[in-house]
Amino acid sequence: MNTLRRAAHVTLSVAAIAVATACSAGGTTAPAASVTGAAGTTTQAPATQAQGVEAAALAPRAASKTARKTGKPKLGIADITPMGEKVERVGVGFPIIVTFDRAVRNKAAAEAVLQVQAQKPVEGAWRWVSDRKVIYRTKTYWKPHQKVLFTARLSQIPGNEAAKDVSRRFAVGTANISVVDTKRHVMKVRRDGKLAKTIPISAGRGGLKRNGVDVYLTTTGVHLAMGKKRVETMTSSWLGVTDPKDPLYYKLEIPWAVRISDSGEYVHQSAGDYQFLGKSNQSHGCVRATPAGAQWFYGISQRGDVITVTGTKRKLDWRNGWSYWQLSWNQWKRGSALPAGSASASASASPSASPTPDQDAPQGQDALQG
């Protein structure tokens, strides 16, 4: 079930995607995930950062401890997504999305001061998706149950010495990895590698083409959970149908909705039609589940959890929401502004000093940015 309107604040345009998918919330952005405070203490973590930048013009100048910081910062950060360890736990597929407060002229210099430190390091790299937004993705999924520290040493960018360095620590939770098989009509959910639940589902039925794309099909590919809502309002306005007298009109309050794309796909409780679950595909593009299965899935879901959909002819576009795992690792690295060979942020020793997590860091303004 779907609506036409997408979140106006989402700056990563999905205009290149031919048409909207069939399941979206009425005029609202996907909500933030329910939050769980991170437990335990943080150990000193090895760093992952871009290295080997040979061109001096691209590398930031080391800021002297006695350097005078005068004038106004020329570049700051408007938003960091996800939120910090005290607000939410994230899934093993989560991206780090950094939105600057203005267009970045020297992307290489800005990227070179962005640092990611993990207790259990994996290779990662940044990719620019606009003049203001850069996204960090790992080569393989993050290892679960750890802390990851992001630091932006903005004062080390030439000409930006007056800026404040910012950081944020993330808490990675359980590795929730789900596979939706649209041909067998089942979703299998594994938690930390063990099969936790098999849920009968009904996916997109197909049959409605717009600009050559069947918008009633669920998109095949690697989705990430972007947010969830206890009850989501879904309407037919995405079809251009707003007249209650129209046979295609609907407006439904749908429980246990976990959003997995910008074009409006959710995993949610089926609004009736339970006889089709596990047997056939009947939705407008969402993944419908049993009441008990949908509520359980909602309860465990974290932003950044992996939901892979298989079996349909409609491919998920990597720009649709947080679908960055649709790109191969080599494709992803091509979006870095650093020279070849230094774009990959490999594990390295932790710096001797780091800003206090979340010190001077802007709070996440939105659950769905990116």
Side-chain angles (χ1 to χ4, degrees), residues 14-365:
V14 203
I17 303 172
V19 283
T21 299
C23 203
S24 75
T28 61
T29 62
S34 344
V35 296
T36 305
T41 59
T42 301
T43 61
Q44 184 63 38
T48 60
Q49 60 184 4
Q51 298 183 38
V53 183
E54 297 179 358
L58 299 181
R61 291 196 296 263
S64 170
K65 294 182 179 180
T66 59
R68 295 174 58 193
K69 293 187 177 181
T70 59
K72 295 182 179 180
K74 296 180 180 180
L75 185 67
I77 291 177
D79 185 74
I80 302 169
T81 299
M83 292 177 280
E85 61 177 326
K86 295 181 180 180
V87 183
E88 67 174 327
R89 291 182 185 271
V90 292
V92 295
F94 86 94
I96 300 174
I97 304 170
V98 178
T99 305
F100 291 93
D101 61 0
R102 67 203 71 187
V104 180
R105 293 183 178 180
N106 189 339
K107 292 183 175 62
E111 184 178 334
V113 303
L114 303 180
Q115 184 181 79
V116 179
Q117 303 166 267
Q119 291 176 325
K120 304 172 185 179
V122 289
E123 187 177 2
W126 294 94
R127 182 183 181 91
W128 291 86
V129 297
S130 75
D131 286 340
R132 292 183 57 202
K133 185 173 293 187
V134 65
I135 298 169
Y136 186 88
R137 201 205 87 183
T138 46
K139 181 178 181 179
T140 58
Y141 297 144
W142 295 98
K143 297 183 185 302
H145 309 296
Q146 65 162 318
K147 302 292 177 63
V148 176
L149 177 64
F150 162 74
T151 304
R153 300 185 181 280
L154 301 177
S155 64
Q156 294 184 9
I157 299 174
N160 206 49
E161 288 80 6
K164 293 182 179 180
D165 297 342
V166 299
S167 66
R168 178 168 296 176
R169 179 171 281 129
F170 310 105
V172 186
T174 302
N176 295 326
I177 298 179
S178 305
V179 176
V180 176
D181 188 331
T182 63
K183 292 185 176 180
R184 292 183 173 87
H185 318 295
V186 67
M187 177 170 71
K188 293 187 176 183
V189 183
R190 286 179 168 79
R191 308 196 73 203
D192 287 340
K194 297 181 180 179
L195 181 63
K197 192 173 286 290
T198 299
I199 304 172
I201 61 96
S202 181
R205 70 191 183 203
L208 179 63
K209 289 192 175 183
R210 295 286 174 87
N211 298 324
V213 177
D214 194 334
V215 297
Y216 272 177
L217 287 178
T218 309
T219 54
T220 284
V222 183
H223 302 70
L224 295 182
M226 301 171 65
K228 60 184 181 180
K229 196 170 183 180
R230 169 64 181 80
V231 177
E232 185 65 276
T233 302
M234 298 184 182
T235 79
S236 56
S237 62
W238 70 279
L239 284 169
V241 177
T242 57
D243 184 356
K245 296 180 181 179
D246 193 304
L248 295 178
Y249 176 84
Y250 63 82
K251 181 178 181 180
L252 299 171
E253 301 294 318
I254 303 299
W256 314 120
V258 177
R259 188 165 192 154
I260 62 174
S261 77
D262 268 354
S263 58
E265 294 163 298
Y266 287 77
V267 176
H268 63 70
Q269 177 182 321
S270 182
D273 293 333
Y274 301 131
Q275 69 274 21
F276 298 119
L277 299 177
K279 296 180 180 179
S280 65
N281 295 325
Q282 298 294 327
S283 84
H284 294 153
C286 284
V287 177
R288 297 176 180 176
T290 61
Q295 183 174 0
W296 176 85
F297 185 75
Y298 176 95
I300 68 162
S301 290
Q302 311 158 129
R303 291 200 298 164
D305 283 349
V306 179
I307 302 98
T308 299
V309 177
T310 67
T312 77
K313 294 181 179 180
R314 185 180 179 192
K315 185 178 180 181
L316 175 64
D317 191 294
W318 75 271
R319 295 158 294 182
N320 187 352
W322 289 0
S323 305
Y324 309 126
W325 291 95
Q326 284 296 96
L327 293 183
S328 70
W329 181 236
N330 285 334
Q331 288 174 323
W332 181 262
K333 291 191 297 182
R334 292 187 197 120
S336 169
L338 295 173
S342 63
S344 175
S346 303
S348 64
S350 177
S352 58
S354 297
T356 302
D358 276 327
Q359 179 180 351
D360 297 320
Q363 294 300 308
Q365 298 172 358

